[in-house]
Amino acid sequence: MRSIQWLPGLCALFALGACQPSAPTPNALPADSGKTASQQALPTPVPAPDALASKTPPSPARNSAEHWQCGEILLDARLDGDTLHLGFSGRSLTLPHVESLTGARYADGTGNEFMRQENGAKLILAGDEGRDCSRSERTSPWIEAAARGIAFRAVGSEPGWFVEVGKGEAPPLHATLDYGDRKIEVTATHPADLGYTGTTADGTSVALKIQRTTCHDGMSGEAFEATVQLVVGDKNYRGCGAFMAD
């Protein structure tokens, strides 16, 4: 009888072992994961460099014009192949494409540059500081004036004014003066040196004097090709201008 007294203790030991949870199997998956262990162990794939989204905005469509506001300057940008044509303030720039890691960059050898960036663009004119640009719905008044057949245009400030002269042997002259409070018309002017003279319908004498000397606009800080003095009666207006056909 003593030989079987140890059996209850042995049975209890085996029963205790059966109740213990088994150790987890490495790489074990939940029952509803639907993946094998080898699939779970694979690292997350990294996109190829070509698939990475670029932060540089797309270039404008070929031969279509974009309008930009760069500080006080309104300009039109038109892409033709790898060349960007800029038109603003009676000037035009032709900038070839150059390699850049930060955006679509166009520049010439004299210091003029236009670069499209993530949130806009940057304009650098030779000899001037850079100007930040944003998209605009407005066309440059100089581009619009040239489309209307204007031969010469000038602007000034304090008080704000501008003058436009048409084409022909006796071109018409229109001026908006004193921040828009006064407008004058000369239906037919007489060329005088580089300028023009004439008389309004009410007999007011008008003289537009033009010198081909570099002029810096007080508002925008940009350089123009001509220095201008507009004399209307006994009042003088000074500013800067450009020949639109040049």
Side-chain angles (χ1 to χ4, degrees), residues 6 32 37 43 52 75 80 85 90 96 111 117 120 135 152 154 159 173 197 215 217 219 225 242:
W6 53 270
D32 60 348
L52 296 177
L75 64 81
D80 182 10
H85 300 276
Q117 299 172 324
R135 291 291 298 272
F152 183 84
L173 178 149
T197 61
C215 178
D217 181 73
M219 291 293 292
E225 65 171 324

Side-chain angles (χ1 to χ4, degrees), residues 170-226:
L173 178 149
H174 163 83
T176 297
L177 311 171
D178 306 331
Y179 300 111
D181 290 341
R182 183 184 182 190
K183 296 183 179 181
I184 63 168
E185 297 278 354
V186 178
T187 56
T189 62
H190 305 287
D193 296 327
L194 286 178
Y196 307 87
T197 61
T199 305
T200 64
D202 64 2
T204 303
S205 62
V206 177
L208 180 63
K209 302 176 182 180
I210 304 172
Q211 292 182 318
R212 278 194 183 266
T213 56
T214 302
C215 178
H216 287 83
D217 181 73
M219 291 293 292
S220 66
E222 63 180 310
F224 288 81
E225 65 171 324

Side-chain angles (χ1 to χ4, degrees), residues 46-123:
V46 178
D50 321 1
L52 296 177
S54 172
K55 292 186 178 181
T56 302
S59 297
R62 297 294 190 267
N63 293 315
S64 65
E66 289 184 337
H67 309 310
W68 293 87
Q69 180 78 54
C70 303
E72 297 294 331
I73 300 176
L74 267 173
L75 64 81
D76 283 10
R78 180 175 57 83
L79 186 62
D80 182 10
D82 290 331
T83 302
L84 187 68
H85 300 276
L86 299 182
F88 60 96
S89 306
R91 298 174 58 185
S92 61
L93 290 176
T94 300
L95 306 178
H97 178 264
V98 295
E99 294 297 328
S100 173
L101 297 177
T102 57
R105 180 170 175 254
Y106 303 86
D108 60 18
T110 63
N112 298 302
E113 179 178 327
F114 186 81
M115 177 181 287
R116 291 170 54 84
Q117 299 172 324
E118 180 180 357
N119 296 318
K122 194 174 191 67
L123 173 69

